[in-house]
Amino acid sequence: MLLTNESRLRDFWYAVMPISELTSGPKSFTLLGEKIVLWLDQAGQPAALEDRCCHRSARLSRGSVEDGCVVCPYHSWAFSSSGACVHMPQLEAGRTVPKNYAVNAFKCQERYGYAWVSLRDPMVSIPEIPEAENPSYRQIDCFNETWNTCSPRVVENELDMGHFASVHRQSIGNKDVPLPLTYELTDKGPTSLHLCSKISVRAPDQQRKNTRSEHEITTREMNVTWFAPFVIRLDLTYPSGLRHIIINHPTPIDDSHIQVLQFHFRNDTEAETSRDELISFERRVLDEDKYVLESTDPDFPMDKSTEAHMMTDRAGFMFRSKLQELLAPKLKPDHLPIQQPVDCNL
Ligand code: FES
Ligand SMILES: [Fe+2]
């Protein structure tokens, strides 16, 4: 499955960039192969349009923002967040901008400090993260970078309790315990699943400090939730009582590139674990995943017979089934193919 062939994926929210990136002017992003321009409107809310001017196709993201509108760099036509051209400097006296002078507008909103975009009407809302409203937790924005892989490979990796002992053997993985200690998978309906699993991990010095673990070999209780199509919430509990929630969102740029947006919530303080210390260790772990995931095939198989499987792929299996179901075109009567009359001369 190549993602840009899956029209249904346009019906979901995706985080595309931190809001802070928009304060210096319009920015471009490619979502599922669609070039979009994002900027902040007059109310400071993010807006998203097709990144192609309706006049001579110049990229609006190379323009500027004036009075809450994005202004094309070529002839300075201005477009509002609805996509309508609202100002043409060249308009002759007494004339108004024709109503059909417009570019496609996309749904866009701010959540958790990020701009989220849906190319069509979203089927489900942006996942709720209760810790974002809980004053006992701090948010740490960790990563925002492009990888050469596809989104479902990252989701499966997060649901894969069999990869730690191998992929992360240089950091947190305990190669002597390749299987999870517990594994409880729950179907949460068409757009979500939950996996509760305990794994044996190692805690190198930095990680022992970051997680206030006493021993080098410890356990990590992982509550992993998948939200359709590609948001993963990794809720980690350590014996010290520390809670660490990782939101990992591999946003699909095109068939073989993703933007990895990762932000965390922790119930400790900067004095206990500094942001820099946390990020330097998480960087190491993330690079181990990246190294392997960039070597996988971005043509993601949805059927179960193309690849071999093992016990720890059960959650990934459930994810594949649910994604397949979500992306299946539901034929409505008016979408059924028209029957062609039989040619009797054949
Ligand atoms: S190309 Fe955009 S205003 Fe001319
Ligand atoms: Fe990993």
Side-chain angles (χ1 to χ4, degrees):
M1 173 185 74
L2 294 173
L3 297 192
T4 59
N5 291 340
E6 300 298 325
S7 158
R8 273 291 174 93
L9 286 174
R10 297 168 74 87
D11 303 337
F12 292 92
W13 287 109
Y14 302 93
V16 299
M17 66 180 67
I19 287 288
S20 56
E21 289 197 6
L22 297 175
T23 52
S24 56
K27 292 286 176 317
S28 67
F29 190 86
T30 303
L31 179 60
L32 289 164
E34 185 87 50
K35 289 187 172 62
I36 59 178
V37 54
L38 292 108
W39 80 100
L40 296 179
D41 68 12
Q42 217 145 18
Q45 295 303 309
L49 300 179
E50 183 183 2
D51 194 9
R52 180 187 169 98
C53 182
C54 62
H55 179 217
R56 288 294 179 269
S57 79
R59 293 192 70 169
L60 298 170
S61 56
R62 298 193 176 185
S64 55
V65 176
E66 280 172 39
D67 300 328
C69 293
V70 65
V71 178
C72 180
Y74 203 169
H75 308 93
S76 297
W77 293 13
F79 298 87
S80 71
S81 57
S82 72
C85 176
V86 293
H87 181 64
M88 293 168 60
Q90 305 83 0
L91 210 61
E92 293 159 66
R95 293 190 174 255
T96 53
V97 180
K99 289 219 175 346
N100 61 341
Y101 283 21
V103 297
N104 288 334
F106 304 116
K107 308 247 176 296
C108 187
Q109 65 169 281
E110 190 266 337
R111 201 79 196 272
Y112 313 122
Y114 292 81
W116 295 67
V117 174
S118 180
L119 297 173
R120 291 195 302 230
D121 282 339
M123 285 169 68
V124 287
S125 54
I126 294 170
E128 290 299 325
I129 305 169
E131 290 77 13
E133 316 294 331
N134 185 338
S136 308
Y137 286 79
R138 58 183 171 131
Q139 179 171 340
I140 305 154
D141 296 301
C142 289
F143 304 109
N144 175 20
E145 61 196 36
T146 306
W147 288 12
N148 301 323
T149 185
C150 71
S151 306
R153 292 286 186 196
V154 178
V155 170
E156 274 199 338
N157 172 258
E158 298 275 12
L159 293 168
D160 177 356
M161 295 299 122
H163 86 285
F164 292 94
S166 180
V167 171
H168 299 300
R169 61 190 174 280
Q170 304 290 345
S171 58
I172 53 173
N174 180 0
K175 66 176 174 40
D176 297 327
V177 187
L179 280 176
L181 307 173
T182 64
Y183 193 95
E184 199 177 320
L185 182 60
T186 310
D187 187 331
K188 303 288 271 185
T191 59
S192 186
L193 67 82
H194 181 258
L195 172 63
C196 179
S197 186
K198 207 176 260 190
I199 60 167
S200 174
V201 289
R202 288 190 314 113
D205 287 350
Q206 183 63 63
Q207 180 70 343
R208 210 174 306 170
K209 182 169 183 294
N210 289 357
T211 59
R212 288 180 288 294
S213 301
E214 287 177 28
H215 309 291
E216 202 207 330
I217 302 293
T218 182
T219 56
R220 187 193 239 201
E221 188 178 316
M222 312 183 65
N223 278 282
V224 193
T225 312
W226 163 70
F227 298 99
F230 305 129
V231 177
I232 282 283
R233 172 197 163 97
L234 200 57
D235 184 341
L236 311 175
T237 305
Y238 292 93
S240 62
L242 173 74
R243 286 272 308 283
H244 183 176
I245 291 108
I246 299 173
I247 308 299
N248 196 5
H249 188 8
T251 295
I253 293 173
D254 56 27
D255 291 329
S256 55
H257 297 89
I258 59 170
Q259 191 70 16
V260 172
L261 296 165
Q262 197 181 103
F263 50 102
H264 299 200
F265 297 89
R266 281 170 70 108
N267 64 346
D268 64 353
T269 62
E270 174 72 16
E272 289 170 298
T273 310
S274 76
R275 185 179 179 279
D276 288 349
E277 280 179 306
L278 177 72
I279 288 182
S280 76
F281 192 79
E282 294 294 327
R283 174 81 265 164
R284 213 174 125 192
V285 177
L286 194 68
D287 280 345
E288 292 169 339
D289 286 314
K290 182 183 178 190
Y291 180 70
V292 172
L293 289 173
E294 288 196 330
S295 75
T296 61
D297 186 351
D299 191 351
F300 184 78
M302 296 292 274
D303 68 280
K304 291 167 180 149
S305 58
T306 307
E307 295 178 332
H309 312 284
M310 61 179 175
M311 169 269 163
T312 45
D313 296 324
R314 275 177 52 211
F317 242 57
M318 190 184 273
F319 159 66
R320 284 189 190 195
S321 301
K322 287 180 181 297
L323 190 62
Q324 192 166 26
E325 191 67 23
L326 280 173
L327 301 186
K330 301 270 188 298
L331 287 181
K332 293 180 186 157
D334 54 343
H335 292 151
L336 287 170
I338 297 164
Q339 295 288 335
Q340 297 297 326
V342 177
D343 184 348
C344 300
N345 294 325
L346 281 176

